[in-house]
Every structure is written in C-alpha cells, then in structure tokens.
Amino acid sequence: MKKEKKSEIWQWVKSIGIAVIVAFILRSYVFAPTIVNGKSMDPTLHTNERLILSKIGEPKRFDIIVFHAPDGRDYVKRVIGFPGETVEIKNDTLFIDGKACKEAYLKEGKKAFANKYGKARKFTEDYPQIKVPKGDLFVLGDNRPVSEDSRSIGPISQSKIIGKAKLSVWPLKDVGLVGK
C-alpha cells in the first residue's frame, strides 16, 4: 500500500513539474501577457486592457506591438515604418516612401477629436521626413495627439520588441482578437 502511495505522489510531482516547464517555455518563447497603460492607443486599446502577445514571427506594417522603451517602461504602439523606408507626416496624412497611407484604424479617434476640438486642428501634427535606420522600426500610437512614440523617442530597435498584440482578454467587453 505504501509503495502505491509513493508511486502516485511521484506521478503527481512529475506531472506538475512537466506542466511548470511547459508553461515556462511557452511564456518565454511563444506568448506573454501585458497590460495597456495610458491613452496613446485609444480608442483601439484602453488603459488597463489585458492583452496576450505573440512572440512568434516578425511584425508587419500596422501590427500593434509591445516593446521596451528607452525610459524603462513597456509601450504599446503600431508599426508604421521598416528599415530603409522614409516616413513623413504632412497635412494630417502619413506618407511612407512618398506614398500616402490609408489608416482606417484612426477613423473613430479622428472623429472624436474633431468633435471635441473642431476640424481646423490637426489630429496628427506634421513630422519631417525620416529614414528608418537598419534594425529599427518607426512606431506611432493611434491617439496621435497624446502618444509618446517614434516622433518623440525616435525609431525603436527591433531587439526591444516583446511581442505582437494578438488577443484582448480583459475587460470582458473587449475580449477578442486585436485587429488592424
């Protein structure tokens, strides 16, 4: 009887140990949780919204990423420009390599901004042309008037990326895929 008890305990210890190792590997290399802090991604994402990040694959244009910022905090922003590309903002329009980009994800924020401040005030202030350096990305927040992004901190190193936002898990009203 004692031998069976020891065997059962050992099986539980092994199972729990394997579960902890698998969870550690998944957390380190596959996904990570994060919390949105601040209003720079409103109305797309909100303060205290809980996200699951994917650590697999390279970010694509307009993906939402989380990265370690120069001030030591983690920022949530949208990927705009890649190494070698030229980014510019002129007359409230984003240009990449001289071509205007449609940013449909800004529609709701621009409308709310215009209702509050009038149509004469720009949602996105002009930003001079910048060539994104090798190994870096140019990132912007969706709430451009308040976002601290590559316009103020400069392009960010791709090595500082934690992951791409894939899933919102809290609050319940926001549960779902984090889209473009």
Side-chain angles (χ1 to χ4, degrees):
M1 195 74 131
K2 278 189 173 185
K3 197 172 187 178
E4 281 182 22
K5 188 88 165 159
K6 283 183 181 181
S7 178
E8 185 178 339
I9 291 171
W10 176 241
Q11 291 301 320
W12 275 103
V13 168
K14 284 193 318 187
S15 295
I16 292 170
I18 290 169
V20 167
I21 290 168
V22 168
F24 174 78
I25 290 169
L26 289 174
R27 172 76 164 78
S28 297
Y29 300 105
V30 180
F31 69 87
T34 195
I35 299 173
V36 177
N37 185 12
K39 297 181 178 200
S40 72
M41 288 299 292
D42 279 347
T44 307
L45 301 172
H46 312 286
T47 296
N48 294 324
E49 191 167 341
R50 269 75 166 163
L51 306 174
I52 300 295
L53 309 176
S54 170
K55 293 184 172 190
I56 298 172
E58 297 295 318
K60 295 177 178 50
R61 188 172 329 276
F62 304 131
D63 278 352
I64 296 172
I65 63 168
V66 177
F67 61 93
H68 299 301
D71 66 5
R73 295 183 292 162
D74 292 342
Y75 283 12
V76 181
K77 305 293 177 198
R78 196 176 288 274
V79 175
I80 300 298
F82 290 93
E85 292 181 334
T86 302
V87 176
E88 179 181 21
I89 301 169
K90 194 169 32 176
N91 297 323
D92 214 5
T93 302
L94 171 67
F95 292 88
I96 298 174
D97 290 336
K99 296 179 184 170
C101 291
K102 292 187 187 277
E103 296 181 279
Y105 51 84
L106 295 180
K107 187 177 181 180
E108 188 180 334
K110 281 185 170 185
K111 184 178 177 182
F113 183 82
N115 288 340
K116 186 172 183 177
Y117 297 105
K119 292 184 181 193
R121 189 167 167 198
K122 290 181 185 177
F123 183 71
T124 309
E125 292 298 320
D126 288 357
Y127 185 81
Q129 217 175 61
I130 181 174
K131 186 172 183 173
V132 181
K134 183 177 180 178
D136 288 356
L137 296 174
F138 192 91
V139 297
L140 293 171
D142 288 359
N143 189 359
R144 304 277 167 83
V146 302
S147 181
E148 189 173 328
D149 48 38
S150 287
R151 296 172 296 166
S152 56
I153 65 172
I156 59 115
S157 172
Q158 291 183 46
S159 67
K160 301 291 185 183
I161 297 173
I162 299 166
K164 298 180 286 184
K166 290 294 186 181
L167 184 66
S168 176
V169 295
W170 191 260
L172 291 176
K173 68 178 180 62
D174 293 325
V175 170
L177 296 175
V178 176
K180 292 182 178 184

